[in-house]
């Protein structure tokens, strides 16, 4: 994709969804951090089902710490890797209380020092909670970036750096959401839904398909 195609790509996504939001349910920065931590290798739908039961009971570091690891496990056992996630979230709550007065830090270094919080989780919190122009590259964004030609890369970091360089600044804060939603519902892993894709004309894959179909049409 060239710069003009990239700009049109995001302009179309913006017109369709001017204020994109994460599909994780949360009511505070801490709830967002907890939900994102729990979402690794799990669906947003699955995490929301668990947190709808957890957050009314424990939605602060102190309350989750008071549950204990086993108490926390009881609320999130429907989520994959729940034992490891319970330990990580419980320890994260202890660190937040001891080192950050119970608040979620807004620096990447401090976030990534929390158990279970890697670069992707930190990027989500920085972007969604604090409005930072970061891009958390998950499987959807990695796929969309490569198949469209937006920011091809062999690994997550290469794609992230490519996106930060190629996405126009005015679209960067919301790009994370647009790309995830596009990958989740249109540019899907099993089969990209190119026939109903609004940005197919901007996309390398979409244009290649259109050219192939044009060559097979009878003269």
């Amino acid at each position: 994709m060239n710069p003009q195609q990239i700009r049109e790509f995001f302009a179309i996504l913006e017109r369709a969804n001017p204020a994109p939001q994460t599909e994780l349910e949360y009511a505070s920065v801490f709830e967002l951090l907890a939900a994102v931590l729990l979402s690794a290798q799990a669906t947003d739908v699955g995490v929301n089902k668990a947190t709808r039961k957890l957050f009314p009971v424990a939605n602060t570091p102190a309350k989750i710490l008071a549950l204990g690891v086993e108490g926390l496990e009881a609320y999130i056992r429907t989520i994959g890797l729940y034992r490891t996630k319970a330990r990580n979230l419980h320890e994260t709550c202890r660190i937040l209380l001891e080192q950050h007065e119970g608040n979620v830090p807004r620096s990447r270094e401090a976030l990534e020092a929390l158990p279970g919080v890697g670069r992707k989780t930190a990027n989500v919190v920085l972007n969604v909670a604090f409005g930072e122009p970061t891009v958390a590259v998950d499987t959807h964004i990695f796929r969309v970036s490569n198949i469209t030609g937006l920011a091809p890369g062999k690994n997550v970091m290469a794609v992230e750096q490519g996106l930060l360089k190629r996405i126009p600044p005015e679209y960067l804060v919301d790009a994370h959401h647009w790309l995830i939603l596009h990958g989740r519902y249109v540019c899907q892993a099993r089969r990209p839904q190119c026939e109903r894709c609004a940005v197919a004309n901007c996309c390398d894959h979409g244009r290649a398909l259109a050219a192939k179909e044009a060559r097979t049409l009878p003269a």
Side-chain angles (χ1 to χ4, degrees):
M1 296 173 71
N2 62 40
Q4 181 178 351
Q5 290 161 345
I6 292 173
R7 187 171 292 279
E8 180 63 16
F9 178 91
F10 283 105
I12 292 170
L13 295 179
E14 181 184 43
R15 287 196 294 271
N17 187 3
Q21 303 291 325
T22 178
E23 293 187 321
L24 288 171
E25 297 172 358
Y26 69 97
S28 68
V29 178
F30 173 72
E31 286 187 7
L32 174 66
L33 173 63
V36 178
L37 190 155
L38 295 174
S39 71
Q41 300 182 47
T43 65
D44 288 358
V45 172
V47 172
N48 288 338
K49 286 180 179 179
T51 57
R52 285 171 195 160
K53 297 177 180 179
L54 171 64
F55 288 159
V57 175
N59 64 344
T60 67
K63 290 179 180 179
I64 285 185
L65 204 62
L67 281 179
V69 174
E70 291 185 2
L72 179 55
E73 286 179 358
Y75 285 97
I76 66 170
R77 63 175 65 252
T78 56
I79 302 174
L81 305 174
Y82 75 93
R83 287 193 175 91
T84 298
K85 291 176 181 179
R87 289 195 300 271
N88 285 338
L89 180 54
H90 192 265
E91 180 64 9
T92 283
C93 290
R94 184 189 65 77
I95 293 172
L96 290 179
L97 288 167
E98 292 182 357
Q99 300 181 19
H100 302 285
E101 300 181 338
N103 298 312
V104 176
R106 61 180 303 165
S107 77
R108 177 183 300 282
E109 182 181 15
L111 284 168
E112 291 187 14
L114 300 171
V117 177
R119 185 176 182 86
K120 184 177 75 172
T121 298
N123 278 341
V124 173
V125 174
L126 290 170
N127 178 266
V128 177
F130 302 123
E132 298 289 339
T134 60
V135 182
V137 180
D138 67 351
T139 56
H140 296 301
I141 292 183
F142 186 83
R143 180 178 67 255
V144 170
S145 298
N146 276 283
I147 197 171
T148 62
L150 174 60
K154 294 183 178 180
N155 56 58
V156 168
M157 183 58 73
V159 169
E160 179 182 334
Q161 295 303 317
L163 289 170
L164 293 175
K165 290 177 182 177
R166 306 198 76 202
I167 296 173
E170 64 267 32
Y171 297 121
L172 196 50
V173 170
D174 289 324
H176 166 84
H177 297 303
W178 285 321
L179 293 174
I180 284 180
L181 295 172
H182 190 64
R184 186 172 289 164
Y185 298 113
V186 181
C187 195
Q188 298 173 330
R190 290 186 179 181
R191 187 181 76 83
Q193 306 294 306
C194 298
E195 67 279 2
R196 64 181 186 88
C197 177
V199 291
N201 290 337
C202 308
C203 159
D204 287 357
H205 181 70
R207 293 196 310 278
L209 283 180
K212 182 178 179 180
E213 290 176 1
R215 289 195 298 270
T216 60
L217 291 174

